Amino acid sequence: MSEHRNEMPSGAPASSVAPHGLHHVTAIATDPQRNVDFYTTVLGLRLVKTTVNFDDPGTYHLYYGDEAGRPSTILTFFPWRGVPAGRQGVGLTTATAFSVPPESLGWWQQHLDGLGVDIDYPRARDSGRQAEEVLTLRDPDGLVVDLVASPGDARSGWDGQGRVPAEHAVRGLHSVTLTEQLLDPTSTLLTGLLGMAGDGEDGDRARFTMSGDQPGSVVDVAASTTAERGLQAGGTVHHIAFRAPDRATQERWRGELVDAGLEVTPILDRQYFTSIYFREPGGVLFEIATDQPGFDVDEPLLELGRHLKLPPWLEPSREQIEQVLPALRVDDEPVAGSS
Ligand code: ZN
């Protein structure tokens, strides 16, 4: 791995679009109950919101994270029953990484092995300017999740259920890996318009970091001219979201992205944040989401995830929605509102 700090390509316009980390990752699952059981009891994340897909209210949208579902700790799922299995490949986010304390990988290996989870044993991986230790696992739908030993990650994670002891708890997102045919033009978008810094490159893999070097601010791009195109379906990532501090900044960034020729959605109200979406040149769907207002906007922190929450515009259809959603249990309690 060469020590190669990317400069902004000469001639590229200076951008002030500068997301300060990953906000969340959203993936596709099949069975909602199996998804809840895996992410709460196996990975020890907190279910911080049980709601529906606002664009498809007949299906759940499940959010997991730390105690409060703080930005950069969030993994969300659209559980689409009956969706066929997808295929990892070019044009997709092919791995979602969480950080765990450096001395915890052995505990995780035993824990996951004991539960019969499909894992690759911890190994050293050249990433950016230093090697890091990674344990890779697959969730019940085949989604690839990396646990990365991360010194110096001060986030607290969640140990509310005691299933994963606090000392080993997942701290939050570490990084995502995008698989592309070539590093460019994706790398140019990341270092140019999106203001990221190159942080090491070894030919077919490059690391990019977002401003501030906070935990959860890494994007890896893996290039493969031989890999098949990915198929987005069960067990694959739907999109990744970056953090904007507030709506005014998001609005300004949207203007800059549009001026640069990208097709960007209007600002959409996602109840817990507002969002814009656009596709990077390799085909991966990017979102920029605000840090505010967060998940305690419609239920108290202690109750997060335990009731089916709907945004005000879907509340009039609650009865029909509850009739089509399958029943769901969290911590052996039925989620109120699931039928
Ligand atoms: Zn999203």
Side-chain angles (χ1 to χ4, degrees):
M1 174 87 43
S2 59
E3 280 222 2
H4 172 89
R5 187 115 198 153
N6 279 359
E7 252 64 66
M8 191 176 292
S10 54
S15 170
S16 65
V17 181
H20 54 292
L22 294 163
H23 186 286
H24 65 267
V25 171
T26 293
I28 303 167
T30 50
D31 183 64
Q33 187 65 62
R34 190 171 68 166
N35 187 255
V36 167
D37 293 344
F38 186 83
Y39 284 95
T40 58
T41 67
V42 177
L43 279 197
L45 303 181
R46 183 176 192 192
L47 178 70
V48 292
K49 193 62 65 181
T50 303
T51 184
V52 294
N53 182 338
F54 295 175
D55 303 322
D56 176 16
T59 61
Y60 282 114
H61 191 176
L62 304 172
Y63 290 77
Y64 306 91
D66 71 357
E67 180 189 20
R70 293 179 183 85
S72 93
T73 72
I74 309 161
L75 175 62
T76 96
F77 286 90
F78 299 137
W80 287 332
R81 285 180 298 171
V83 72
R87 181 181 64 232
Q88 306 296 347
V90 169
L92 290 183
T93 298
T94 48
T96 302
F98 285 101
S99 71
V100 297
E103 58 290 343
S104 293
L105 278 188
W107 182 89
W108 277 101
Q109 179 185 331
Q110 274 196 332
H111 170 72
L112 295 168
D113 253 348
L115 294 168
V117 177
D118 177 14
I119 65 172
D120 297 339
Y121 291 140
R123 66 195 187 284
R125 177 168 74 183
D126 249 0
S127 285
R129 286 170 293 162
Q130 64 230 353
E132 61 194 8
E133 245 202 305
V134 185
L135 182 161
T136 298
L137 63 104
R138 282 157 210 84
D139 85 356
D141 289 302
L143 187 79
V144 177
V145 175
D146 288 335
L147 300 181
V148 179
S150 308
D153 188 336
R155 294 174 294 178
S156 56
W158 163 246
D159 70 334
Q161 308 310 319
R163 295 187 178 104
V164 174
E167 56 188 304
H168 301 304
V170 164
R171 284 350 195 205
L173 290 171
H174 172 275
S175 57
V176 288
T177 302
L178 317 183
T179 297
E180 308 280 5
Q181 208 157 33
L182 301 166
L183 291 180
D184 236 0
T186 300
S187 56
T188 301
L189 173 72
L190 299 181
T191 56
L193 199 52
L194 296 185
M196 298 184 197
D199 194 24
E201 181 175 330
D202 72 351
D204 60 359
R205 201 176 167 94
R207 170 159 287 193
F208 302 89
T209 54
M210 284 169 260
S211 62
D213 263 345
Q214 296 297 309
S217 59
V218 171
V219 176
D220 286 336
V221 179
S224 172
T225 49
T226 53
E228 271 186 282
R229 187 125 203 115
L231 176 69
Q232 191 172 65
T236 64
V237 171
H238 187 269
H239 64 266
I240 59 173
F242 300 105
R243 296 174 66 178
D246 52 51
R247 184 163 168 153
T249 308
Q250 181 182 54
E251 210 160 329
R252 187 160 50 73
W253 289 358
R254 182 180 183 281
E256 291 196 34
L257 296 167
V258 168
D259 288 346
L262 289 165
E263 256 182 67
V264 188
T265 65
I267 294 178
L268 298 171
D269 183 358
R270 296 321 197 185
Q271 182 78 353
Y272 312 107
F273 41 84
T274 59
S275 298
I276 56 174
Y277 302 82
F278 58 98
R279 241 171 241 287
E280 58 86 28
V284 178
L285 185 60
F286 282 4
E287 172 183 353
I288 294 178
T290 52
D291 281 1
Q292 299 297 330
F295 294 102
D296 60 354
V297 70
D298 61 358
E299 60 188 336
L301 190 62
L302 283 173
E303 300 278 314
L304 292 184
R306 297 186 169 278
H307 306 267
L308 176 70
K309 302 308 292 186
L310 298 175
W313 63 93
L314 290 176
E315 215 32 87
S317 317
R318 176 175 281 275
E319 208 176 316
Q320 299 94 294
I321 290 172
E322 288 182 354
Q323 271 170 11
V324 297
L325 290 174
L328 203 56
R329 298 178 73 85
V330 181
D331 303 329
D332 297 325
E333 302 277 346
V335 169
S338 70
S339 43

